[in-house]
Structure formats: structure tokens, C-alpha cells
């Protein structure tokens, strides 16, 4: 334990954010860089608990008290070794993880929890600054070839691990750049894309081969893939969005959230730029929120990212509506510590300006004679528990139907499952009841050479879970190829149902 009285002396302090005025003018990261003295002070708050619930709360089983201690001692090399032993990409999770570890931190019972995510970010940024993140080139090669299809965090983590085990790994991606939703979903103001490029350079030096612009199933057929490689790991994500199939869906101005978010990230990356009538630089012919009334349908992370992006475009108004009732402002009695608390969350994008409403259903998209969206018809909902089944049931509130102005509607109602037609059906894969790839552990139930991990197996989830799944699947592939595996053991919290929500 670094400082026995640290948790009594110091308050929880998070990285400073740039002012709203300043950050709405650009797409640079909102958080400022951590400072050594602040990281040390925050690490000093850790009590080095006999039973560290934080460690169990993290899907990766991060060894949190030990790296907190090393940071307090300013032993950045040790802190980095401990962190890197369970997490391939702390530079991702240190920026955008909702931090289930903090929700289960023991200090959180009666004080604000240890700022674990912040400490994680400080360790990895310091490690890069000090040149500690060096390529680790495997000493021997097994001669086995593995194809990893899909380069999101699950695919990247699996490729990293399998390469370390000595296999020759090719990471195939249909987009023009590596990173999956971290590249083309999560906005730059949450995670700068140079962070992915920096990590890719290390992995390339270690021997991972990246191939972009390859739509597997089309450019390389399923049969070819199986003939060319000793094992195939699918990390293709959950890419089919949930639609809102109501009257007026065809109007110009109704878009899936990902259409909007991915094109914005491409603009920031300088792909397909043109200068518009106001002198601003944008991609050709695409979705602009500038001077528009924007309504985001769906209250999760994806919706919040549409809010932040619309604000940066200079929208006339930004409204976010959600079907479910407003969650409690504080931790609810139904989710006591150390469970993940069901409570109201306000993101940095919400802080920047947004009208938020809950218990609202969208009835109709309304448009003009030119086919352009002009308004939404909505209605208030009353949610009540059914006394017989105990399930929540919704009822429209009489007389609450109304229209609100809307030139752009973003559908952010979640994702259903991976794209099944094409590659997955050509590989003869089975699907579970939610339409995800059905596996036994991480191995496909119907094709023993094929494995799956991340959102395509688990359903829409989080980056930390994608990394965890990628690591676990890599171990299964390694066992399949070699009969045994020395890759990292299972994440500890796989045994713990508390975070099964994520
Ligand atoms: C807008 C948005 C914001 C989010 N924000 C957060 C956040 O703040 N924090 C957090 O923890 N999580 C967040 N998430 C969730 C997180 O991004 C995902 O859970 C995670 O990226 C899943 O990783 P994955 O590797 O399984 O799949 P993905 O990241 O979806 O990657 C799958 C990749 O497979 C590729 N692919 C698919 N089919 C093929 C094919 N046939 N051939 C070749 N390549 C193919 C796709 O192009 C894609 O690059 C967010 C998600 C979205 C949509
Ligand atoms: S639960 Fe909190 S206080 Fe305890 S070891 Fe983990 S981070 Fe430190």
C-alpha cells in the first residue's frame, strides 16, 4: 500500500477537461493529459484491499492495487508491466471505458472511488513517453497461420496474443483503416485516432500483418480462407443496426447513427474532403447537422456521440429521446455495491448542450412534399410493473401526442447481431437465439476450425469486453493448434456474473 492515509487526505480528482466553448470548435480530445503528481496522488487513495473488488469488477482482471502501488512509488516500468500483463490496449480503455472496476472499488462504499481509469491512462501514456512500449518480437515461430477477420479491439487483441504465441497472424479488415468501431464509431473527441496508429506500429514491428480493404467472404471466399489458414478467428462485430420501422422512415434526413459518426471520423482523418459554402471542410455530399434541428432516438453511448458531433457541426437544436424511463440520479437500491449501478449518466457530450427526454415513443417521421424530414410525432409513455408477470409494461399517455421540429433524425437504438449473410453463412455457422455466432467457449459449434470473439459472439458490448474476448479466444485458438496454450489465463471476472450486463 503506497500511502496508508492517502484515502483520508486526498479527494478523487479526474483529468481536467477543456472548456465547452473551446472544445465545440474542434474534434480534439476533451481531456487534458494527466500529470505525474496528480496520478501519484490519485494512486495514493488506493487502500490495497485484502479482497480487491476492483480487480474482480474489471472484465480483464486488471491487477489494480499493484499498479496503483507502483505509480505511487513512481516506478512507471513496473506499473506498465503489471498493466500490460492483462490489458493489450490500456490507451483505449484508459480513455473510453465506463470503468466497472471503479463501480466495485471498496472505497466507493462511502467515498468517491479510486480514479482507476485515469491512473491506467497515466501509466500507458508515461510508458510510451519513456520508450517502455517496445515491440516484443517472438523468438520462435510455430509455422501455423491464423486469419483474424475484423480489426476492432477484439481482433486487435487476439492478433496481438496469437502473434506473441509464435503464430503468423494476418488481420483482415474490410474498411480502409484498422480499428473497427474504435476507428469509425467512437468520435475523435473521445479517442484520437493517432492512438490506434501508434499501437499498430508496435504490432507491425512485432510481426502482425494488417490487410485493409479486404471484404472477407467477397474478396476472399470462405473456402479459400479455410484452405489458406490453419485457423480462422471471426471478430466481425455486431454491425446490423436496429431500425425504427414507422411511417415516414423513407424521408431524407432519417439516418442510422453510424452513417453520421463514421463519415465524421473520416472527415477528421482528411478522407474525401471538400470545402462547403461556408468555407468549412467536409466530405462530399454527406450528412451535416449545421443549422438543423437534430433529434437522436436512443439514449446510449452511440446516441451521446451523435449529440457531441451535432454540437460541433453547429446544430440549431439537439434533442435526445429515450423509450425507457429516466434512471435514478444515484445508485439505486436494486443495484447495490459492488454491482454495476443502474443510474443516470451524463456524458461530456450531454454537458455541451442537449435536451434529454425519457419515456418517449416515436410514432411517425413527418416530411414535406420534397421528401425532406421536417418533424417527429412523439408520445409520452407511462411505465408500470405488470402485477402478474412482474415485467415493466408501457402505455401511451392520453393526450400527450405532439410533433417536434426535426430536420435530422439519428437512429441510435442499438445493434441486433453480426451480418449473417455472406461470410458467416458460407462458413456454415450456427447462430444463437439473438442471432450472434453460436460457440462452445470461443469455438464455433458447427465448424471446428472457426472461432469467434467480441460483439459478433457476445452481442453489442464494450471495448473492455472485446479485448477480454479477443484474449480468451486467442488462447482457445492456440490450444486448438498446439494442444496446449501458455497465453494468459482466463479473465477473473468471467466467473463473476455481476457484470453480465456489459
Ligand atoms: C458509436 C459507438 C460508440 C461507442 N462508445 C463506446 C465507449 O465509449 N466505450 C466502450 O467501451 N464501448 C463503446 N462502444 C462499443 C465498442 O466500440 C464495441 O463494443 C467494440 O468496438 C466491439 O469490438 P469488436 O472488435 O467486437 O467489433 P468492432 O469494433 O465492431 O469491429 C469489427 C470489425 O470487423 C470488420 N468486418 C466485419 N465484417 C467483415 C468482413 N466480412 N471482412 C473484413 N472485415 C469485416 C468491420 O469493418 C469492423 O472493423 C461504442 C460503440 C459505438 C457504435
Ligand atoms: S477496491 Fe479500490 S481501494 Fe481497494 S484495492 Fe481496488 S482500487 Fe484500491
Amino acid at each position: 500500500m503506497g500511502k496508508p492515509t492517502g484515502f483520508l487526505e486526498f479527494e478523487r480528482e479526474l483529468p481536467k477537461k477543456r472548456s465547452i466553448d473551446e472544445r465545440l470548435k474542434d474534434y480534439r480530445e476533451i481531456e487534458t493529459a494527466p500529470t505525474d503528481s496528480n496520478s501519484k496522488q490519485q494512486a495514493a487513495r488506493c487502500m490495497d484491499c485484502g479482497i480487491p473488488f476492483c480487480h474482480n469488477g474489471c472484465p480483464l482482471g486488471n491487477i489494480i492495487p499493484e499498479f496503483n502501488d507502483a505509480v505511487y512509488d513512481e516506478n512507471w516500468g513496473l506499473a506498465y508491466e503489471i498493466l500490460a500483463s492483462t490489458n493489450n490496449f490500456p490507451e483505449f480503455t484508459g480513455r473510453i471505458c465506463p470503468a466497472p472496476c471503479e463501480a466495485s472499488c471498496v472505497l466507493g462504499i462511502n467515498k468517491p472511488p479510486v480514479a482507476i481509469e485515469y491512473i491506467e491512462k497515466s501509466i500507458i501514456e508515461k510508458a510510451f513517453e519513456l520508450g517502455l512500449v517496445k515491440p516484443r518480437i517472438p523468438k520462435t515461430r510455430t509455422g501455423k497461420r491464423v486469419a483474424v477477420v475484423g480489426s476492432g479491439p477484439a481482433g486487435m487483441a487476439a492478433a496481438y496474443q496469437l502473434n506473441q504465441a509464435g503464430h503468423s497472424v494476418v488481420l483482415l479488415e474490410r474498411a480502409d483503416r484498422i480499428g473497427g468501431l474504435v476507428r469509425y464509431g467512437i468520435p475523435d473527441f473521445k479517442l484520437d485516432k493517432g492512438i490506434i496508429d501508434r499501437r499498430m506500429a508496435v504490432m507491425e514491428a512485432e510481426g502482425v500483418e494488417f490487410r485493409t480493404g479486404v471484404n472477407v467472404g467477397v474478396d476472399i471466399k470462405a473456402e479459400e480462407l479455410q484452405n489458406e489458414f490453419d485457423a480462422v478467428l471471426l471478430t466481425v462485430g455486431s454491425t446490423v443496426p436496429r431500425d425504427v420501422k414507422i411511417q415516414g422512415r423513407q424521408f431524407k434526413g432519417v439516418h442510422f447513427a453510424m452513417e453520421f459518426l463514421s463519415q465524421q471520423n473520416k472527415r477528421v482523418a482528411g478522407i474525401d474532403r471538400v470545402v462547403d459554402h461556408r468555407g468549412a471542410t467536409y466530405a462530399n455530399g454527406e450528412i451535416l447537422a449545421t443549422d438543423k434541428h437534430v433529434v437522436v432516438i436512443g439514449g446510449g453511448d452511440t446516441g451521446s456521440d451523435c449529440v457531441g458531433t451535432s454540437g460541433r457541426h453547429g446544430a440549431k437544436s439537439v434533442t435526445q429521446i429515450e423509450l425507457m424511463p429516466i434512471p435514478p440520479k444515484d445508485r439505486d437500491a436494486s443495484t447495490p455495491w459492488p454491482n454495476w449501478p443502474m443510474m443516470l449518466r451524463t456524458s461530456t457530450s450531454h454537458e455541451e448542450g442537449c435536451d434529454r427526454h425519457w419515456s418517449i415513443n416515436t410514432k411517425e417521421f413527418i416530411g414535406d412534399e420534397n421528401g425532406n424530414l421536417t418533424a417527429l410525432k412523439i408520445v409520452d409513455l407511462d411505465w408500470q410493473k405488470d402485477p402478474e408477470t412482474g415485467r415493466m409494461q408501457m402505455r401511451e399517455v392520453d393526450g400527450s401526442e405532439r410533433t417536434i421540429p426535426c430536420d435530422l433524425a439519428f437512429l441510435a437504438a442499438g445493434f441486433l447481431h453480426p451480418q449473417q449473410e455472406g461470410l458467416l453463412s458460407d462458413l456454415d455457422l450456427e447462430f444463437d437465439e439473438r442471432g450472434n455466432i453460436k460457440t462452445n467457449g470461443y469455438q464455433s459449434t458447427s465448424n471446428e476450425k472457426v472461432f469467434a470473439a467480441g460483439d459478433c459472439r457476445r452481442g453489442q458490448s464494450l471495448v473492455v469486453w472485446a479485448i477480454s474476448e479477443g484474449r480468451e479466444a486467442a488462447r482457445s485458438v492456440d490450444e486448438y493448434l498446439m494442444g496446449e496454450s501458455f497465453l494468459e489465463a482466463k479473465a477473473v471476472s468471467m466467473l463473476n456474473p455481476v457484470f453480465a450486463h456489459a
Side-chain angles (χ1 to χ4, degrees):
M1 181 172 185
K3 190 169 175 41
T5 53
F7 68 99
L8 297 170
E9 283 176 47
F10 308 120
E11 296 301 321
R12 174 179 159 103
E13 225 181 284
L14 295 176
K16 302 262 174 307
K17 292 176 204 148
R18 295 194 292 131
S19 74
I20 290 177
D21 250 13
E22 183 192 318
R23 68 199 202 211
L24 275 176
K25 295 193 182 95
D26 62 41
Y27 293 87
R28 287 188 294 119
E29 282 188 1
I30 287 168
E31 279 184 7
T32 57
T35 63
D36 291 1
S37 59
N38 203 26
S39 310
K40 182 173 172 168
Q41 200 171 81
Q42 291 306 305
R45 295 185 71 237
C46 176
M47 305 184 294
D48 194 8
C49 304
I51 300 176
F53 278 77
C54 56
H55 162 75
N56 206 36
C58 171
L60 289 162
N62 279 349
I63 310 163
I64 295 163
E66 274 71 14
F67 69 58
N68 282 343
D69 200 15
V71 168
Y72 182 73
D73 290 340
E74 294 179 71
N75 189 344
W76 295 103
L78 178 62
Y80 166 63
E81 286 303 328
I82 298 169
L83 179 56
S85 72
T86 54
N87 187 350
N88 303 84
F89 312 122
E91 64 273 35
F92 299 171
T93 49
R95 284 174 165 78
I96 44 104
C97 191
C101 55
E102 293 184 9
S104 60
C105 169
V106 177
L107 190 56
I109 295 174
N110 64 350
K111 274 176 168 279
V114 174
I116 303 168
E117 187 182 6
Y118 176 27
I119 295 167
E120 192 173 315
K121 181 176 170 189
S122 344
I123 296 170
I124 189 63
E125 290 309 316
K126 195 73 186 173
F128 271 108
E129 184 191 317
L130 297 176
L132 301 172
V133 188
K134 294 196 181 79
R136 295 176 186 182
I137 299 161
K139 289 199 178 63
T140 53
R141 289 283 173 190
T142 61
K144 306 280 186 193
R145 283 169 56 73
V146 183
V148 178
V149 184
S151 71
M156 285 183 75
Y160 189 110
Q161 295 290 97
L162 286 164
N163 180 63
Q164 289 300 315
H167 307 304
S168 300
V169 182
V170 183
L171 185 52
L172 299 153
E173 170 56 54
R174 71 178 166 199
D176 57 354
R177 298 203 184 172
I178 295 293
L181 287 174
V182 179
R183 172 77 68 179
Y184 283 141
I186 296 172
D188 288 67
F189 54 80
K190 279 167 64 181
L191 192 147
D192 184 285
K193 305 313 164 200
I195 300 294
I196 312 173
D197 299 336
R198 183 176 67 177
R199 177 58 69 176
M200 277 175 65
V202 179
M203 289 174 67
E204 249 170 342
E206 288 171 342
V208 175
E209 186 183 335
F210 295 104
R211 283 193 214 158
T212 53
V214 184
N215 189 355
V216 183
V218 177
D219 302 324
I220 303 180
K221 297 280 182 221
E223 202 185 330
E224 220 179 315
L225 191 70
Q226 293 177 96
N227 291 339
E228 205 186 308
F229 293 92
D230 298 295
V232 174
L233 172 57
L234 301 172
T235 47
V236 290
S238 177
T239 45
V240 178
R242 182 173 284 112
D243 207 344
V244 179
K245 289 180 181 158
I246 53 174
Q247 201 175 331
R249 173 65 181 83
Q250 79 287 355
F251 284 122
K252 280 180 257 166
V254 184
H255 300 276
F256 285 118
M258 277 302 296
E259 295 172 42
F260 181 54
L261 294 174
S262 59
Q263 70 159 42
Q264 181 54 48
N265 288 11
K266 286 186 181 167
R267 277 180 196 133
V268 177
I271 301 167
D272 291 342
R273 283 188 173 207
V274 295
V275 180
D276 81 351
H277 62 288
R278 299 174 313 124
T281 313
Y282 288 116
N284 213 347
E286 302 208 24
I287 313 158
L288 289 184
T290 318
D291 297 331
K292 299 210 170 116
H293 292 292
V294 174
V295 181
V296 180
I297 302 175
D301 268 345
T302 308
S304 154
D305 291 346
C306 291
V307 168
T309 305
S310 301
R312 279 162 181 74
H313 280 196
K316 203 181 276 174
S317 70
V318 185
T319 306
Q320 188 174 21
I321 57 177
E322 164 63 42
L323 195 71
M324 300 304 290
I326 185 167
K329 292 210 166 45
D330 298 308
R331 192 191 270 272
D332 190 65
S334 62
T335 51
W337 178 90
N339 290 276
W340 175 254
M342 283 306 158
M343 57 188 277
L344 180 64
R345 291 188 166 78
T346 300
S347 71
T348 50
S349 295
H350 295 135
E351 284 167 7
E352 289 161 6
C354 167
D355 233 359
R356 299 170 81 187
H357 301 276
W358 288 264
S359 297
I360 300 252
N361 196 12
T362 311
K363 302 271 289 186
E364 187 184 337
F365 297 107
I366 297 168
D368 62 17
E369 62 282 2
N370 299 319
N372 294 316
L373 179 70
T374 55
L376 287 192
K377 189 187 283 181
I378 58 169
V379 66
D380 289 330
L381 297 173
D382 180 31
W383 286 92
Q384 295 293 341
K385 209 178 244 177
D386 184 309
E388 275 171 29
T389 62
R391 296 173 69 173
M392 293 295 280
Q393 286 205 320
M394 62 181 200
R395 185 188 62 81
E396 290 186 4
V397 176
D398 291 342
S400 67
E401 201 170 277
R402 60 203 180 275
T403 57
I404 55 170
C406 176
D407 312 303
L408 260 185
F410 295 126
L411 312 183
F415 297 84
L416 296 172
H417 48 65
Q419 185 191 321
Q420 297 172 342
E421 68 278 9
L423 178 64
L424 305 195
S425 43
D426 292 350
L427 285 168
D428 280 332
L429 300 188
E430 279 183 60
F431 302 100
D432 65 17
E433 62 287 351
R434 292 188 300 154
N436 298 315
I437 300 172
K438 191 171 175 185
T439 57
N440 181 6
Y442 293 87
Q443 194 162 20
S444 147
T445 48
S446 46
N447 185 335
E448 68 151 13
K449 203 175 176 178
V450 176
F451 294 73
D455 282 7
C456 67
R457 188 194 84 93
R458 174 183 184 81
Q460 180 195 2
S461 187
L462 296 171
V463 166
V464 68
W465 272 112
I467 299 173
S468 164
E469 292 238 333
R471 291 172 68 89
E472 299 285 348
R475 186 183 163 87
S476 301
V477 172
D478 193 29
E479 264 168 7
Y480 166 75
L481 293 174
M482 309 303 289
E484 60 179 349
S485 177
F486 301 105
L487 290 174
E488 289 297 332
K490 280 190 181 303
V492 172
S493 60
M494 294 295 287
L495 307 173
N496 178 358
V498 167
F499 294 105
H501 74 279

